Amino acid sequence: MAVTPTPESLLSLSITTRKIPLGCPIFDTFLRGGIPCNSITELVAESGCGKTQFCLQLALSAQLPLNHLGRLSGSSLYIHTEFPFPFRRLQQLCLDSPIGGNSDNIFVHAAHSAEQLLDEMPKIESFLVDSQSRLPIRLIVVDSIAALFRSEFDNTPSDLKQRSSLFFKISGQLKLLAKRFNVAVVVTNQVVDFMGESGSLNGLRIGNLGSLYSSGRRVCPALGIAWANCVNSRLFLSRNEEVIGAEISSENAGDGLCRRTRRRLYVLFAPHLPESSTEFVIRREGVFGVNR
Amino acid sequence: MEVAGLPISPSQRGKLISAGYTTISSLTSLSPHHLARDLNIPEEEAVQILGAAASHNSRLDTSDGGHSIVNGAQTAWDMFREEQSSLRITTSCADFDNILGGGINCKEVTEIGGVPGIGKTQLGIQLAVNVQIPMGLGGLGAKAVYIDTEGSFMVERATQIAEASISDMLEYNNHLAKQNRVCQVKFKPSDILENIFYFRVCSYTEQMALINHLEKFISDHKDVKIVIVDSVTFHFRQDFEDLALRTRLLNGMALKLMNLAKTFNVAVIAGHIPAQIGSSCTGTRMSEMHT
């Protein structure tokens, strides 16, 4: 007897999708509650902008019992592809973050190649099913997806074809897990420098911003448009040095100017968020939004 | 059209109905011999009945009615008239509606393409809500089927769009009230959400199965007037070593969707993601199929 497909009632899917908060009121208002479950969210930024910091903080806050958005109380699976995993930073966050949290509830797994990650998907699935001895997994982090793809593939048509087929396989599997277990999936992605005319393929505008700037350079997300199709939402973190005045004793900066790093989080595209941005800081205690 | 409207004798009418020929269209492409046997009447009488049905069917074509009842034949004039009177679903954006000739057309498969984040999903959700605008306000008062392959459908976004649509309707209603033509808007966002049949598919086999099942689903839910597939190609870009097979499957699916659109007078929106240069070319394959 074949099972006939039946529609899901949208009313039974609660009116607001379950979200994993970041534990900072400014961010959580900005993201309308946090990172949505049952969906892939991508964090795009150059190195040193705070992608991993965001992911670690999410892994901690996923453990929190929540009052109004439904209890998450979940553990997380952190798949890292860039080595080493920042254990010390995680430990520091566990101690200092106002969220609290316990590193026992974060399961760390290393992936060295895209094929390996794909091969391990059944293992990951059975890991998600078997949740009796621990909190259920609520968050899967892949940090970073770009590292899996940027080393192994040449710029030849056949390699690119194989690569984009892998994108869709991996994202299909991740979305399947996200749907089946109602978990949030967060992947991080690197950027590449933007080259050439604004009309070229690289300059194809994806999302809300016409052009992305970080550290004073024009950048665009790595892995191209094929990967952009594989994620549901994309957030961009930027970092820009800003001169805030001349410094009398020029010890820090060689040119006698006092500089400050300003970081911003942009929504590039998301089905549930409008175009917006917020400033944030990274401190010992974690990442926090700044109201200005 | 019922046979009751035919200029034939009551006894002939009775025989027709008791033999199961209740509509005029059931008399098309029937030989006089066949009809005579079914109704147990002489063949001349059968010819007469078929003649009456034929001349009824083709009032425009007065010269010779007998030949125009070939199944499915339609004059270009009829098609033109039909197209002008066809149902359209507004996009809630005047400029869009203008270039679309009034909105998304029922009976057609419309493809929406664009880079990620351009708003394909937003337009899809908007249409799933707008198809429910009641007839009194110029809408269709129908329901929607939403097939989500990417997981981008967000209930909270649909709620927002539903709320905005309701306030639009109320405003329009106030405008109508000034002309004493009130249409009750008794919508709540939850009513609108209830009228969207949401399917989430996680693989291409599921997608094929669902599209095959849709015909039955829509004949059970006759008030569905729009089917949104967001997006049609996502799962077809994963697992296909055999590109010829993929093309066959996609073409088959496109034909099914077109058939659905024709048979049930529903609009089909197929969201689709563009192919990267140097990668696959699913996009062009699908585009070739669209009308």
Side-chain angles (χ1 to χ4, degrees), chain B residues 27-128:
Chain B
L27 292 172
T28 55
S29 69
L30 206 63
S31 73
H33 175 73
H34 196 102
L35 187 66
R37 200 189 58 212
D38 276 1
L39 266 61
N40 214 356
I41 49 170
E43 214 163 298
E44 305 89 79
E45 220 174 304
V47 171
Q48 187 205 334
I49 292 175
L50 287 180
S55 57
H56 187 93
N57 249 11
S58 53
R59 289 239 170 92
L60 291 171
D61 184 20
T62 46
S63 59
D64 186 6
H67 295 295
S68 68
I69 352 174
V70 182
N71 237 351
Q74 213 180 7
T75 61
W77 172 250
D78 288 343
M79 286 166 75
F80 176 68
R81 293 275 295 270
E82 196 172 277
E83 198 177 301
Q84 282 196 319
S85 64
S86 71
L87 303 172
R88 286 171 194 278
I89 302 160
T90 172
T91 56
S92 288
C93 168
D95 289 338
F96 272 13
D97 283 354
N98 277 344
I99 57 168
L100 291 168
I104 298 285
N105 211 337
C106 287
K107 282 199 174 178
E108 270 179 18
V109 181
T110 308
E111 179 183 33
I112 302 173
V115 292
I118 201 89
K120 303 182 291 293
T121 302
Q122 305 294 323
L123 192 54
I125 299 175
Q126 180 87 57
L127 287 166

Side-chain angles (χ1 to χ4, degrees), chain B:
Chain B
M1 200 64 187
E2 301 290 306
V3 290
L6 283 181
I8 49 175
S9 73
S11 71
Q12 285 172 338
R13 203 172 293 145
K15 279 177 186 164
L16 272 177
I17 290 170
S18 58
Y21 296 104
T22 51
T23 62
I24 291 176
S25 60
S26 65
L27 292 172
T28 55
S29 69
L30 206 63
S31 73
H33 175 73
H34 196 102
L35 187 66
R37 200 189 58 212
D38 276 1
L39 266 61
N40 214 356
I41 49 170
E43 214 163 298
E44 305 89 79
E45 220 174 304
V47 171
Q48 187 205 334
I49 292 175
L50 287 180
S55 57
H56 187 93
N57 249 11
S58 53
R59 289 239 170 92
L60 291 171
D61 184 20
T62 46
S63 59
D64 186 6
H67 295 295
S68 68
I69 352 174
V70 182
N71 237 351
Q74 213 180 7
T75 61
W77 172 250
D78 288 343
M79 286 166 75
F80 176 68
R81 293 275 295 270
E82 196 172 277
E83 198 177 301
Q84 282 196 319
S85 64
S86 71
L87 303 172
R88 286 171 194 278
I89 302 160
T90 172
T91 56
S92 288
C93 168
D95 289 338
F96 272 13
D97 283 354
N98 277 344
I99 57 168
L100 291 168
I104 298 285
N105 211 337
C106 287
K107 282 199 174 178
E108 270 179 18
V109 181
T110 308
E111 179 183 33
I112 302 173
V115 292
I118 201 89
K120 303 182 291 293
T121 302
Q122 305 294 323
L123 192 54
I125 299 175
Q126 180 87 57
L127 287 166
V129 171
N130 282 358
V131 76
Q132 301 181 38
I133 296 173
M135 303 231 186
L137 296 177
L140 302 183
K143 295 182 180 177
V145 167
Y146 199 104
I147 301 173
D148 187 9
T149 68
E150 299 196 12
S152 285
F153 186 92
M154 288 264 179
V155 185
E156 61 178 278
R157 182 63 188 142
T159 315
Q160 284 173 355
I161 291 179
E163 277 162 1
S165 178
I166 289 168
S167 70
D168 263 7
M169 285 193 262
L170 287 173
E171 195 177 309
Y172 187 54
N173 215 13
N174 289 340
H175 174 71
L176 285 185
K178 286 179 195 143
Q179 306 165 16
N180 293 324
R181 289 193 295 140
V182 189
C183 167
Q184 280 298 314
V185 177
K186 288 176 296 198
F187 271 131
K188 291 199 298 287
S190 59
D191 298 335
I192 288 191
L193 292 184
E194 216 164 15
N195 286 337
I196 301 175
F197 299 108
Y198 174 79
F199 296 89
R200 174 84 168 90
V201 294
C202 292
S203 70
Y204 78 92
T205 35
E206 260 181 66
Q207 189 176 339
M208 303 290 299
L210 179 60
I211 303 264
N212 286 337
H213 173 69
L214 266 187
E215 187 169 345
K216 185 176 179 308
F217 185 85
I218 295 179
S219 48
D220 291 347
H221 299 83
K222 282 271 195 303
D223 44 1
V224 168
K225 279 280 170 253
I226 189 165
V227 175
I228 297 146
V229 190
D230 176 25
S231 71
V232 122
T233 48
F234 178 75
H235 293 304
F236 286 88
R237 296 189 64 176
Q238 302 178 31
D239 264 334
F240 285 90
E241 298 304 321
D242 182 358
L243 289 181
L245 173 69
R246 182 173 79 175
T247 310
R248 277 205 302 282
L249 288 176
L250 274 174
N251 284 1
M253 196 162 68
L255 280 178
K256 284 210 178 80
L257 290 176
M258 281 154 89
N259 202 13
L260 272 179
K262 268 268 173 309
T263 326
F264 296 102
N265 196 13
V266 299
V268 179
I269 309 294
H272 129 261
I273 44 192
Q276 190 183 27
I277 292 172
S279 77
S280 57
C281 47
T282 340
T284 46
R285 297 272 152 64
M286 275 313 281
S287 312
E288 281 162 16
M289 296 303 298
H290 284 280
T291 48

Side-chain angles (χ1 to χ4, degrees), chain A residues 26-287:
Chain A
I26 294 174
F27 273 140
D28 291 342
T29 321
F30 175 72
L31 295 170
R32 309 248 162 113
I35 303 292
C37 290
N38 192 2
S39 155
I40 298 184
T41 307
E42 184 186 44
L43 289 173
V44 180
E46 64 171 337
S47 58
C49 282
K51 302 185 294 283
T52 304
Q53 307 292 326
F54 262 94
C55 296
L56 291 174
Q57 184 154 330
L58 277 170
L60 292 181
S61 59
Q63 301 172 24
L64 284 180
L66 283 177
N67 37 21
H68 58 292
L69 288 165
R71 292 173 75 88
L72 278 154
S73 300
S75 53
S76 44
L77 174 63
Y78 200 108
I79 301 168
H80 69 111
T81 67
E82 292 176 20
F83 296 88
F85 179 78
F87 288 108
R88 289 183 60 179
R89 176 61 177 150
L90 177 62
Q91 216 50 51
Q92 190 181 38
L93 277 176
C94 286
L95 293 174
D96 294 340
S97 167
I99 305 166
N102 193 334
S103 52
D104 284 352
N105 292 323
I106 301 173
F107 299 88
V108 179
H109 181 74
H112 300 269
S113 73
E115 279 91 354
Q116 186 208 345
L117 180 61
L118 201 59
D119 289 344
E120 283 171 351
M121 279 297 176
K123 230 166 83 184
I124 293 171
E125 189 176 337
S126 56
F127 178 72
L128 262 68
V129 173
D130 171 39
S131 65
Q132 280 166 3
S133 54
R134 53 177 168 75
L135 297 171
I137 299 277
R138 284 281 164 251
L139 170 72
I140 299 176
V141 177
V142 182
D143 182 21
S144 70
I145 197 79
L148 292 177
F149 288 101
R150 290 186 72 181
S151 54
E152 281 179 44
F153 294 90
D154 278 337
N155 209 2
T156 58
S158 72
D159 264 26
L160 283 178
K161 188 170 161 287
Q162 195 197 350
R163 191 180 83 154
S164 75
S165 157
L166 271 174
F167 289 160
F168 281 90
K169 278 183 195 165
I170 286 183
S171 100
Q173 291 285 326
L174 286 174
K175 281 178 180 173
L176 187 68
L177 293 179
K179 164 74 185 152
R180 202 173 143 203
F181 300 99
N182 197 12
V183 298
V185 178
V186 176
V187 300
T188 62
N189 192 0
Q190 302 164 350
V191 296
V192 291
D193 274 346
F194 176 82
M195 301 282 179
E197 306 294 310
S198 39
S200 72
L201 180 71
N202 271 350
L204 192 59
R205 175 180 160 160
I206 298 177
N208 294 327
L209 297 178
S211 49
L212 310 175
Y213 289 93
S214 188
S215 299
R217 299 191 318 272
R218 186 159 175 205
V219 296
C220 64
L223 305 185
I225 192 176
W227 174 254
N229 281 309
C230 295
V231 296
N232 297 117
S233 338
R234 175 174 266 180
L235 306 175
F236 175 66
L237 312 179
S238 80
R239 180 178 71 168
N240 281 304
E241 299 274 308
E242 192 177 69
V243 177
I244 50 169
E247 206 174 75
I248 300 121
S249 63
S250 54
E251 284 167 18
N252 302 341
D255 49 6
L257 294 172
C258 181
R259 290 162 192 277
R260 184 177 58 177
T261 306
R262 296 189 80 166
R263 300 168 192 276
R264 285 197 87 81
L265 168 67
Y266 297 89
V267 176
L268 286 194
F269 60 82
H272 61 302
L273 295 175
E275 170 178 7
S276 49
S277 73
T278 183
E279 188 168 349
F280 71 98
V281 291
I282 303 177
R283 292 216 295 263
R284 184 186 171 84
E285 297 84 14
V287 287

